[in-house]
Amino acid sequence: EKHQMLRVSPNMVKDSSLSTGKGEDVLSLDKISEMIDTSFVNACMQLAQGYVDVLKLLIVAVKSGYEIGVSPSELIKKIDAVPNKAAGRDLMPEEIELRNTWIQVVYFVLKESKHRSNDEKA
């Protein structure tokens, strides 16, 4: 069975800012959650083949959640509630644990590097 891969351009990863702060819309929490769900599934498949581009997209999507001031637990709950799962099934417990660990690591790195969320920029 062939899996549909998400194609990632370098610009998608390079331009990781989702809002310029100049009146442009910020992605909604629903959209961010869908992006994380999709990029996580694709990252797992592509990492097995040695590709890391989709993992970068997952990091950018998680960073977006951080930037709009959503806690990791809120973000995880929202991802769990995504209606159309990218995997076409519920994730196995070890997949959920891996996804949640990646989310926590991204939040930890952003916090430790003093990256500010939109709430802190005001």
Side-chain angles (χ1 to χ4, degrees):
E1 175 181 340
K2 288 196 172 200
H3 296 282
Q4 187 176 25
M5 295 288 181
L6 176 67
R7 299 289 178 219
V8 180
S9 74
N11 290 337
M12 292 172 76
V13 176
K14 186 174 73 173
D15 184 21
S16 64
S17 177
L18 298 173
S19 173
T20 62
K22 298 178 182 174
E24 291 184 11
D25 292 338
V26 175
L27 288 176
S28 70
L29 181 54
D30 287 338
K31 187 65 177 170
I32 291 169
S33 300
E34 290 173 13
M35 289 171 55
I36 293 170
D37 180 63
T38 300
S39 58
F40 172 75
V41 171
N42 285 302
C44 288
M45 289 187 291
Q46 289 195 3
L47 281 172
Q49 299 171 4
Y51 299 106
V52 297
D53 288 344
V54 179
L55 182 58
K56 292 176 187 177
L57 187 57
L58 172 71
I59 292 167
V60 168
V62 173
K63 179 179 172 232
S64 301
Y66 179 90
E67 288 178 341
I68 65 170
V70 177
S71 73
S73 59
E74 289 176 274
L75 185 58
I76 289 166
K77 285 179 189 174
K78 196 66 174 173
I79 297 163
D80 288 340
V82 168
N84 297 318
K85 305 287 186 205
R89 59 170 173 76
D90 289 336
L91 296 178
M92 294 183 293
E94 57 270 17
E95 292 169 325
I96 293 169
E97 182 180 356
L98 177 61
R99 182 202 64 197
N100 294 352
T101 299
W102 283 354
I103 290 169
Q104 294 286 352
V105 167
V106 172
Y107 268 72
F108 176 79
V109 169
L110 291 169
K111 182 178 178 185
E112 290 300 308
S113 66
K114 310 234 184 300
H115 185 81
R116 293 170 49 177
S117 68
N118 285 345
D119 288 348
E120 296 168 329
K121 292 176 185 176

